Amino acid sequence: MYDGIINVYKEKGFTSHDVVAKMRGILGQRKIGHTGTLDPDATGVLPVCLGKGTRLCDMLTDHDKTYRAVLLLGTETDTEDTTGTVLETKETSGLTEKEVQDAVLSFIGDYDQVPPMYSALKVDGKKLYELAREGKEVERKPRKVTLYEIKILEMNLP
Protein backbone atom coordinates (compact mmCIF):
# COMPACT_ATOMS: atom_id res chain seq x y z
CA MET A 1 0.00 0.00 0.00
CA TYR A 2 1.18 3.52 -0.83
CA ASP A 3 1.20 6.25 1.82
CA GLY A 4 1.57 9.98 1.19
CA ILE A 5 0.25 12.74 -1.04
CA ILE A 6 0.33 12.99 -4.83
CA ASN A 7 -0.51 16.21 -6.65
CA VAL A 8 -2.66 15.27 -9.64
CA TYR A 9 -3.41 17.65 -12.49
CA LYS A 10 -7.20 17.39 -12.91
CA GLU A 11 -8.33 18.00 -16.46
CA LYS A 12 -11.63 19.56 -17.50
CA GLY A 13 -14.53 17.12 -17.56
CA PHE A 14 -13.37 15.03 -14.59
CA THR A 15 -14.79 15.31 -11.09
CA SER A 16 -12.55 15.03 -8.05
CA HIS A 17 -14.28 11.70 -7.37
CA ASP A 18 -13.33 10.54 -10.90
CA VAL A 19 -9.67 11.28 -10.10
CA VAL A 20 -9.83 9.27 -6.87
CA ALA A 21 -11.53 6.35 -8.66
CA LYS A 22 -8.85 6.39 -11.38
CA MET A 23 -6.07 6.46 -8.77
CA ARG A 24 -7.66 3.50 -6.96
CA GLY A 25 -7.56 1.55 -10.20
CA ILE A 26 -3.98 2.53 -11.04
CA LEU A 27 -2.57 1.89 -7.56
CA GLY A 28 -4.81 -1.04 -6.64
CA GLN A 29 -5.75 0.34 -3.23
CA ARG A 30 -8.97 1.61 -1.65
CA LYS A 31 -7.68 4.06 0.97
CA ILE A 32 -7.45 7.22 -1.15
CA GLY A 33 -9.03 10.63 -0.66
CA HIS A 34 -8.85 14.15 -2.06
CA THR A 35 -8.45 17.49 -0.32
CA GLY A 36 -11.33 19.45 -1.83
CA THR A 37 -13.79 19.21 -4.66
CA LEU A 38 -12.91 20.91 -7.92
CA ASP A 39 -15.71 21.78 -10.33
CA PRO A 40 -15.82 19.34 -13.28
CA ASP A 41 -15.11 22.27 -15.64
CA ALA A 42 -12.10 23.40 -13.58
CA THR A 43 -8.55 22.37 -14.33
CA GLY A 44 -5.83 22.41 -11.73
CA VAL A 45 -3.85 20.60 -9.09
CA LEU A 46 -5.80 18.26 -6.82
CA PRO A 47 -3.79 16.88 -3.88
CA VAL A 48 -4.71 13.20 -3.47
CA CYS A 49 -3.93 11.48 -0.16
CA LEU A 50 -2.93 7.81 -0.09
CA GLY A 51 -3.06 5.26 2.75
CA LYS A 52 -1.86 6.82 6.01
CA GLY A 53 -1.74 10.16 4.19
CA THR A 54 -5.56 10.25 4.19
CA ARG A 55 -5.30 11.42 7.81
CA LEU A 56 -4.12 14.73 6.39
CA CYS A 57 -7.13 15.31 4.09
CA ASP A 58 -9.13 17.34 6.60
CA MET A 59 -6.09 19.37 7.64
CA LEU A 60 -5.32 20.34 4.04
CA THR A 61 -8.87 21.08 2.91
CA ASP A 62 -9.44 24.24 4.92
CA HIS A 63 -6.20 26.05 4.11
CA ASP A 64 -5.56 28.98 1.81
CA LYS A 65 -5.65 28.24 -1.89
CA THR A 66 -4.57 29.97 -5.06
CA TYR A 67 -6.85 30.26 -8.07
CA ARG A 68 -6.44 31.52 -11.60
CA ALA A 69 -9.57 32.84 -13.29
CA VAL A 70 -10.66 34.29 -16.59
CA LEU A 71 -13.50 36.80 -16.40
CA LEU A 72 -16.14 37.39 -19.04
CA LEU A 73 -17.73 40.75 -18.33
CA GLY A 74 -21.29 41.67 -19.21
CA THR A 75 -22.79 38.17 -19.32
CA GLU A 76 -25.03 36.69 -16.62
CA THR A 77 -25.80 32.96 -16.65
CA ASP A 78 -27.94 30.69 -14.51
CA THR A 79 -24.85 28.81 -13.28
CA GLU A 80 -22.69 31.91 -12.67
CA ASP A 81 -20.08 30.55 -15.10
CA THR A 82 -19.71 30.18 -18.87
CA THR A 83 -21.37 26.73 -18.98
CA GLY A 84 -24.82 28.02 -18.10
CA THR A 85 -27.71 29.47 -20.05
CA VAL A 86 -27.27 33.19 -20.73
CA LEU A 87 -29.87 35.16 -18.78
CA GLU A 88 -28.73 38.69 -19.61
CA THR A 89 -26.00 40.54 -21.46
CA LYS A 90 -24.88 44.09 -20.91
CA GLU A 91 -22.81 46.41 -23.04
CA THR A 92 -19.17 46.51 -21.89
CA SER A 93 -17.53 48.53 -24.66
CA GLY A 94 -17.50 51.67 -22.51
CA LEU A 95 -15.50 50.12 -19.68
CA THR A 96 -11.99 51.33 -19.01
CA GLU A 97 -9.13 49.23 -17.66
CA LYS A 98 -9.12 51.41 -14.52
CA GLU A 99 -12.83 50.77 -13.87
CA VAL A 100 -12.42 47.02 -14.29
CA GLN A 101 -9.27 46.96 -12.16
CA ASP A 102 -10.98 48.93 -9.37
CA ALA A 103 -14.01 46.59 -9.45
CA VAL A 104 -11.90 43.42 -9.37
CA LEU A 105 -9.58 44.68 -6.63
CA SER A 106 -12.59 45.69 -4.50
CA PHE A 107 -13.02 41.97 -3.69
CA ILE A 108 -9.82 41.93 -1.62
CA GLY A 109 -10.52 41.47 2.07
CA ASP A 110 -13.03 39.66 4.26
CA TYR A 111 -16.67 39.34 3.33
CA ASP A 112 -19.64 37.00 3.61
CA GLN A 113 -20.31 35.01 0.46
CA VAL A 114 -23.51 33.11 -0.25
CA PRO A 115 -22.43 29.93 -2.06
CA PRO A 116 -23.92 29.64 -5.55
CA MET A 117 -26.45 26.89 -6.24
CA TYR A 118 -24.04 25.48 -8.79
CA SER A 119 -21.36 24.50 -6.30
CA ALA A 120 -20.13 21.25 -4.79
CA LEU A 121 -21.10 22.23 -1.24
CA LYS A 122 -23.48 19.75 0.35
CA VAL A 123 -26.84 20.45 1.97
CA ASP A 124 -28.45 17.48 3.71
CA GLY A 125 -25.94 15.16 2.02
CA LYS A 126 -26.64 16.37 -1.52
CA LYS A 127 -24.42 18.61 -3.61
CA LEU A 128 -25.91 21.99 -4.40
CA TYR A 129 -25.29 21.61 -8.13
CA GLU A 130 -27.26 18.34 -8.11
CA LEU A 131 -30.21 20.14 -6.50
CA ALA A 132 -29.86 23.01 -8.99
CA ARG A 133 -29.96 20.61 -11.95
CA GLU A 134 -33.19 19.19 -10.50
CA GLY A 135 -34.61 22.73 -10.58
CA LYS A 136 -34.49 23.10 -6.80
CA GLU A 137 -33.12 26.07 -4.92
CA VAL A 138 -32.33 25.88 -1.21
CA GLU A 139 -31.34 28.50 1.31
CA ARG A 140 -27.58 28.81 1.67
CA LYS A 141 -25.94 30.44 4.64
CA PRO A 142 -23.24 33.04 3.95
CA ARG A 143 -19.69 31.88 4.60
CA LYS A 144 -16.79 34.10 5.61
CA VAL A 145 -14.21 34.27 2.81
CA THR A 146 -10.97 36.19 2.58
CA LEU A 147 -9.21 37.23 -0.59
CA TYR A 148 -5.67 38.21 0.37
CA GLU A 149 -4.41 39.22 -3.04
CA ILE A 150 -5.56 39.57 -6.63
CA LYS A 151 -3.13 39.91 -9.50
CA ILE A 152 -4.50 40.95 -12.86
CA LEU A 153 -2.19 39.22 -15.33
CA GLU A 154 -3.83 40.37 -18.54
CA MET A 155 -6.83 42.44 -19.64
CA ASN A 156 -8.42 42.36 -23.09
CA LEU A 157 -11.31 44.80 -23.23
CA PRO A 158 -13.39 45.25 -26.37
Side-chain angles (χ1 to χ4, degrees):
M1 174 157 60
Y2 297 95
D3 300 305
I5 300 171
I6 296 177
N7 287 327
V8 176
Y9 181 78
K10 189 196 84 61
E11 294 183 5
K12 184 177 179 173
F14 289 92
T15 65
S16 300
H17 179 77
D18 293 338
V19 172
V20 168
K22 191 72 145 170
M23 293 296 293
R24 284 180 176 144
I26 292 168
L27 299 175
Q29 75 182 54
R30 300 282 316 142
K31 197 167 184 180
I32 298 178
H34 61 78
T35 59
T37 303
L38 286 176
D39 185 281
D41 282 338
T43 60
V45 175
L46 178 68
V48 176
C49 300
L50 313 172
K52 292 178 184 172
T54 57
R55 296 177 190 160
L56 301 173
C57 281
D58 289 338
M59 288 186 256
L60 297 173
T61 301
D62 293 328
H63 280 282
D64 299 340
K65 297 168 180 69
T66 300
Y67 296 91
R68 180 172 281 179
V70 175
L71 306 182
L72 174 63
L73 303 178
T75 302
E76 180 183 351
T77 69
D78 61 350
T79 58
E80 299 184 26
D81 63 20
T82 57
T83 66
T85 301
V86 174
L87 301 174
E88 183 180 4
T89 57
K90 293 184 179 178
E91 182 59 41
T92 59
S93 62
L95 292 175
T96 66
E97 284 196 14
K98 173 85 170 99
E99 290 172 323
V100 173
Q101 179 175 324
D102 289 348
V104 169
L105 295 180
S106 74
F107 285 95
I108 293 175
D110 296 332
Y111 60 96
D112 291 328
Q113 178 190 59
V114 176
M117 277 303 299
Y118 283 86
S119 72
L121 290 176
K122 290 185 180 178
V123 172
D124 296 329
K126 198 150 190 183
K127 292 178 183 166
L128 286 175
Y129 70 79
E130 292 172 343
L131 294 170
R133 288 184 183 137
E134 293 172 6
K136 298 175 184 171
E137 184 162 345
V138 296
E139 183 179 344
R140 285 111 43 220
K141 291 186 172 123
R143 297 165 45 143
K144 180 75 73 189
V145 297
T146 302
L147 290 173
Y148 297 103
E149 178 181 36
I150 297 175
K151 294 179 187 175
I152 298 173
L153 303 177
E154 183 179 347
M155 192 179 309
N156 298 308
L157 295 177

